[in-house]
Amino acid sequence: MSEVEYMREAMAEAAEAAALGEVPVGAVIVVDGKIVGRGGNRRESAADPTAHAEMIAIRQASQAVGGWRLVGATLYVTQEPCPMCAGAIVNARVERVVYGCDNPKAGAVRTLYRLLEDERLNHRVVVEQSVLAKECGELLTRFFAELRKL
């Protein structure tokens, strides 16, 4: 699969989250060309502030590979990760992050902070941004426009 196809998989996770009334952010983790983790936001339905798409995908991927180190893994996520998720990405030793749209309020990869590339940390992550950025941003824009109508 291509970068775009993996991001579309993450977008499908985001759409599933939106259908549950969750902020539409989705993620998939790929190791050796295989999706080993998936997640969509579940903060509201799980009553869990850590139930971000990336965190769920990391937990699932760790179970799939049988350990907490996700060496060689690429995380595809529809929106730039927040500080919590960026910290988990570093701690899980994810090799690469590919994200869709920027996160102007909490972006910890490029927008507000650069945690994944911070040389003070013990692990750095290769970052690719703006894959299907317009489409990923539209998922969020539509969701919040609908919320404002209520």
Side-chain angles (χ1 to χ4, degrees), residues 4 25 38 41-42 64-65 67 70 73-74 83 90 100-101 110 126 144:
V4 168
V25 176
R38 294 176 173 274
N41 273 351
R42 295 293 186 276
V65 303
L70 298 177
T74 298
V90 169
C101 62
R110 293 276 166 86
V126 175
F144 287 112

Side-chain angles (χ1 to χ4, degrees), residues 1 4 7 13 21 26 28 34-35 48 50 70-71 80 104 119 135-136 138 143 146-147:
M1 289 176 68
V4 168
M7 187 60 77
E13 295 294 324
V28 296
K34 180 181 176 205
I35 295 175
D48 179 356
T50 70
L70 298 177
V71 178
E80 177 184 11
E119 292 182 7
E135 293 92 330
C136 291
E138 287 170 352
F143 177 81
E146 288 298 315
L147 268 185

Side-chain angles (χ1 to χ4, degrees), residues 93-106:
R93 309 298 195 268
V94 171
E95 184 175 316
R96 221 169 131 244
V97 168
V98 178
Y99 73 87
C101 62
D102 290 337
N103 184 344
K105 294 186 178 183

Side-chain angles (χ1 to χ4, degrees), residues 43 49-52 54-55 81-89 91 106 108 115:
R43 286 190 325 174
T50 70
H52 288 200
E54 301 96 320
M55 301 294 282
C82 72
M84 175 184 67
C85 294
I89 290 163
N91 283 316
L115 293 179

Side-chain angles (χ1 to χ4, degrees), residues 21-39:
E22 301 278 355
V23 174
V25 176
V28 296
I29 296 179
V30 176
V31 175
D32 295 328
K34 180 181 176 205
I35 295 175
V36 295
R38 294 176 173 274

Side-chain angles (χ1 to χ4, degrees), residues 105-117:
K105 294 186 178 183
V109 176
R110 293 276 166 86
T111 305
L112 300 178
Y113 308 100
R114 296 177 79 92
L115 293 179
L116 300 187
E117 300 164 310

